[in-house]
Amino acid sequence: MKKRVIGALCALAVAAAMGCGRSISPVSAEAEVVLKPLEQTQRVDDLSPWVDEVEFVRIADDAQVHPATVTKMLIDGRANAFMMDDRNRVVAVPADGSRLTVIAQEECDGEGCRIISDMALCGNELLVLVGHEIMRFDGDDFSLVRRDNVPIDLPCDALAPDGEGGMYLFSAFPKNLPELPQGGNVTKVQSGDEFMLYRLSPDGEVADRYIPRDDCTLSLNNISQSSCGEYMLRPQNGNHVFYRLTADGIVPAYRVDFGSENIPHRYYFDVAGEDLMSYIMSPYYKMPMELHETASHLFFRVAGPEAREVAVVYDRRSCGGIMWENAPGDMQMQILASDGKWFYAVMPETGGADEGPHGPLYSYVRRALAEQEPDAAGHSYLVKIRFRKM
């Protein structure tokens, strides 16, 4: 990552410091907040000066149920956690970490296995997308309420509630890949599987379609829970815009601008020759994802030049922030969720061991865990972290 400061500073109004308040920030013509990490943040190698508080909740030791590498996390209004892991399961962990419950897992029958693609919280229900079905579980006793068929003949891979009893469904890949329109402008009327985001009514009917498919997208962390029941769609089609998925439709929230180091539109097709490795290893920033907000800060990750994983934290009350690079061995300990106060991560069982190399987040959490929990080795922890004013 290049160390450079372009020099332009921006002014932000002060955000509400409680609950789910948002700052009033520099906006583009489309009304989203513009984030310029290479100008507005500083690169750090040590998070100690930037962390205000960290807490650890020991997760119950249950070898049969314990989540493996956590790939997604949701936090409900009572600070209970729901985790998807790389064993293709959804595991519930109460706020005190005292027990583990497998709610859903890969389903297999005579026609093969159906993997779990995504999950979301909708009121007191947990929605789990499995194959071409949406399974609804009671949020208290985890019993299966019902199964709904997906009314879209596409391989959907992400979902979110719409705030009005319906939901959003995202499809990274169409059933039959259409010939993508050439150039940066899409002028024809799009139809069928050339859209990526669909909104379903409470009756399960397709009510709206968003975001025509005109560039490369990947089935990777497309929708994330932000906080206070909100969900974010990561940037698609090279526009670098995070969208809020709301009752009023999709609303531009943040545009991430790396200037000349943004991945160019249609780079995958026009330069990389549809070679995924060439795209990932390109000397640009691409695929901002996993945006999570608290009342005071926001966090997201991005694939940097040569596929380096970069994490960014912004103070929502100012235009300042920090960014750092994660090490390849840090994948098991990432910020995966948030609520109004905390960012959440999971430190795996190896957290007490002195291994490396690791990036700043993993290293800080490991040191703090060793200080607070001397017998941490061999146990996993839910990590709650809060950042200082920046």
Side-chain angles (χ1 to χ4, degrees):
M1 183 190 312
K2 296 180 180 178
K3 292 184 178 180
R4 64 171 185 157
V5 177
I6 300 178
L9 299 177
C10 64
L12 283 169
V14 176
M18 300 173 60
C20 305
R22 300 192 189 111
S23 61
I24 300 173
S25 320
V27 297
S28 72
E30 292 75 28
E32 72 269 3
V33 177
V34 181
L35 305 176
K36 299 184 176 183
L38 296 182
E39 299 179 26
Q40 299 162 340
T41 70
Q42 58 179 300
R43 180 177 177 177
V44 299
D45 297 317
D46 180 9
L47 293 190
S48 300
W50 306 100
V51 175
D52 181 51
E53 187 177 1
V54 62
E55 291 185 0
F56 299 96
V57 177
R58 181 169 162 176
I59 299 174
D61 298 320
D62 188 332
Q64 298 301 314
V65 180
H66 203 285
T69 299
V70 177
T71 57
K72 183 167 186 171
M73 189 189 309
L74 304 174
I75 303 295
D76 70 9
R78 296 167 292 181
N80 300 313
F82 299 86
M83 303 176 184
M84 279 178 56
D85 69 10
D86 61 359
R87 295 178 188 171
N88 204 16
R89 304 177 306 174
V90 174
V91 179
V93 182
D96 64 1
S98 59
R99 64 186 182 280
L100 302 171
T101 305
V102 174
I103 301 176
Q105 56 191 328
E106 181 179 79
E107 295 188 338
C108 297
D109 54 28
E111 297 181 356
C113 295
R114 298 183 302 165
I115 66 170
I116 294 174
S117 301
D118 199 16
M119 62 179 180
L121 289 167
C122 181
N124 195 43
E125 286 188 337
L126 174 69
L127 311 180
V128 180
L129 180 60
V130 184
H132 227 64
E133 283 188 333
I134 298 168
M135 303 175 70
R136 293 177 176 265
F137 295 89
D138 185 277
D140 292 322
D141 62 15
F142 310 135
S143 61
L144 178 63
V145 176
R146 71 175 191 268
R147 296 172 181 259
D148 296 329
N149 289 322
V150 173
I152 303 169
D153 190 22
L154 289 171
C156 296
D157 64 312
L159 81 169
D162 74 347
E164 290 192 336
M167 70 181 66
Y168 291 96
L169 285 169
F170 185 86
S171 175
F173 300 103
K175 184 177 180 180
N176 297 302
L177 185 65
E179 182 179 349
L180 296 173
Q182 298 299 312
N185 298 318
V186 181
T187 56
K188 69 175 182 177
V189 176
Q190 303 287 337
S191 62
D193 60 10
E194 292 184 42
F195 283 92
M196 293 187 286
L197 184 68
Y198 296 80
R199 185 175 183 177
L200 305 186
S201 70
D203 298 328
E205 301 294 327
V206 176
D208 215 337
R209 298 171 173 85
Y210 307 89
I211 309 181
R213 186 188 308 277
D214 73 344
D215 200 352
C216 172
T217 193
L218 300 177
S219 181
L220 180 66
N221 302 327
N222 280 296
I223 294 178
S224 59
Q225 184 193 44
S226 176
S227 64
C228 303
E230 290 193 331
Y231 288 79
M232 309 290 293
L233 176 70
R234 73 171 176 87
Q236 307 291 334
N237 289 346
N239 66 0
H240 314 293
V241 174
F242 282 99
Y243 291 94
R244 294 190 194 278
L245 304 180
T246 77
D248 297 321
I250 65 172
V251 179
Y254 301 101
R255 178 162 61 84
V256 182
D257 184 2
F258 287 95
S260 63
E261 295 186 50
N262 278 334
I263 188 83
H265 181 60
R266 289 183 55 82
Y267 183 94
Y268 174 79
F269 297 98
D270 299 340
V271 180
E274 302 185 38
D275 179 75
L276 183 59
M277 185 57 65
S278 295
Y279 175 81
I280 296 297
M281 294 299 294
S282 66
Y284 298 102
Y285 289 87
K286 76 286 288 181
M287 298 190 303
M289 65 181 68
E290 288 284 356
L291 191 144
H292 304 288
E293 299 167 300
T294 66
S296 57
H297 294 77
L298 68 87
F299 166 91
F300 64 90
R301 291 187 289 136
V302 62
E306 289 77 47
R308 289 173 287 179
E309 185 182 278
V310 178
V312 182
V313 173
Y314 264 90
D315 189 327
R316 300 173 69 187
R317 301 158 294 187
S318 71
C319 209
I322 58 174
M323 61 192 302
W324 68 86
E325 286 189 22
N326 292 315
D330 295 348
M331 289 304 296
Q332 288 186 305
M333 218 296 295
Q334 300 280 5
I335 289 175
L336 294 171
S338 63
D339 59 21
K341 181 179 180 181
W342 300 101
F343 291 106
Y344 291 79
V346 174
M347 175 60 87
E349 292 180 358
T350 55
D354 186 18
E355 77 241 8
H358 289 292
L361 177 64
Y362 192 110
S363 298
Y364 172 82
V365 170
R366 184 175 59 184
R367 291 195 304 269
L369 180 60
E371 293 173 1
Q372 295 187 29
E373 303 282 343
D375 63 342
H379 306 293
S380 296
Y381 289 81
L382 186 66
V383 182
K384 302 162 66 175
I385 189 167
R386 185 169 64 189
F387 291 96
R388 298 182 186 274
K389 186 174 182 179
M390 298 176 179

